[in-house]
Amino acid sequence: MEKTSGISISGNVSVQPVVKVRDRWNFRTTWPLHLMLLPPLILIIIFHYVPMGGLLIAFQNYKPWLGIKGSAWVGLDHFEFMLQYPDSKQVIWNTLFISFFKIVFGLITPIIFALCLNEVRRMAVKRSIQTLVYLPHFLSWVILGGVLVDILNPDGGLVNRFLGVLGIEPIFFLGKGDWFRFVVIISDIWKDFGFSAIVFLAALAGVNPSLYEAAEVDGANRWKQTVYITIPSMLPIAIVVGTLSLGSILNAGFDQIFNLYNPLVYQKGDIIDTFVYRMGLINGNFGFSTAIGMFKSVISFVLIVTSYRLAYKYANYRIF
């Protein structure tokens, strides 16, 4: 019996195995896309990978006039000194403390804000609120640092004037270690919580409306709908954001602290990045500062890998 294309001439259909055809990568059609990637790729190589050669300074008694080739090799001396240097331990603790509370409250605040904003029914009001809370994210810490210095000034600042009306003595927020930490954490959350809430609002937009309709039929009020439908729907993305944040726990915000801190708060406000800046560029101890930066980079790399593993395990998150 003669057959063509899996159909017999007699009218009977014959089943044949499906052959998967793999699309071949064709550079002739995709070269414009690769050309678009070329400039950023070159910039990444120049500014991120080429400077890695300077990590040799961490193992040398580096002198700028001698260069990397002429400077004496000291091996792991800088790393040993880093572990014994009292200020190094305090700086690491400050970084972990500030970064931990930034991550925790920087995760809780956007979730609460997204839940509250989700209950607003008038779109005009909702969009106005979103615009207002997004704006601080797009302002640099140079601008916001100057604003905070002015309003927190113990001599005539807006906050201390208000405290004076309440009969409270002026507080030097940026001159006392504990208050400085508080200002750093709160101001960072205030700056970014609106922008961070976008991902949670997107998660809420993907919730099936029929779930709420079924809950209303069963007599569930708005609070129960939030507890049993909304929050569980946000939980996977919250786990992803929280676990991925672990990779940046040693990044406590150089731009922010550099524009706010002063010698009075070094004891409790100095972090790894600002300490490296002072040791290297201010004091000229390039080898020691490079060793600290390399130590931070290695630990951060391990944390990033761990955070992605956790995100994949608990939220089934993967890059590709």
Side-chain angles (χ1 to χ4, degrees), residues 6 29 45 86 113 127 166-167 185 187 197 253 299 307 317:
T29 59
I45 293 174
F113 173 73
R127 290 173 180 173
L166 299 178
I185 294 170
S187 60
I299 300 300
S307 64
Y317 172 83

Side-chain angles (χ1 to χ4, degrees), residues 72-112:
W73 189 267
V74 296
L76 299 176
D77 289 355
H78 292 311
F79 294 94
E80 293 177 1
F81 181 69
M82 176 188 67
L83 297 176
Q84 297 172 0
Y85 193 49
D87 288 353
S88 298
K89 298 177 182 179
Q90 183 63 41
V91 164
I92 294 174
W93 167 248
N94 293 341
T95 304
L96 293 174
F97 182 90
I98 294 173
S99 184
F100 173 78
F101 283 101
K102 280 186 176 182
I103 291 174
V104 172
F105 291 104
L107 179 63
I108 295 175
T109 307
I111 291 176
I112 296 175

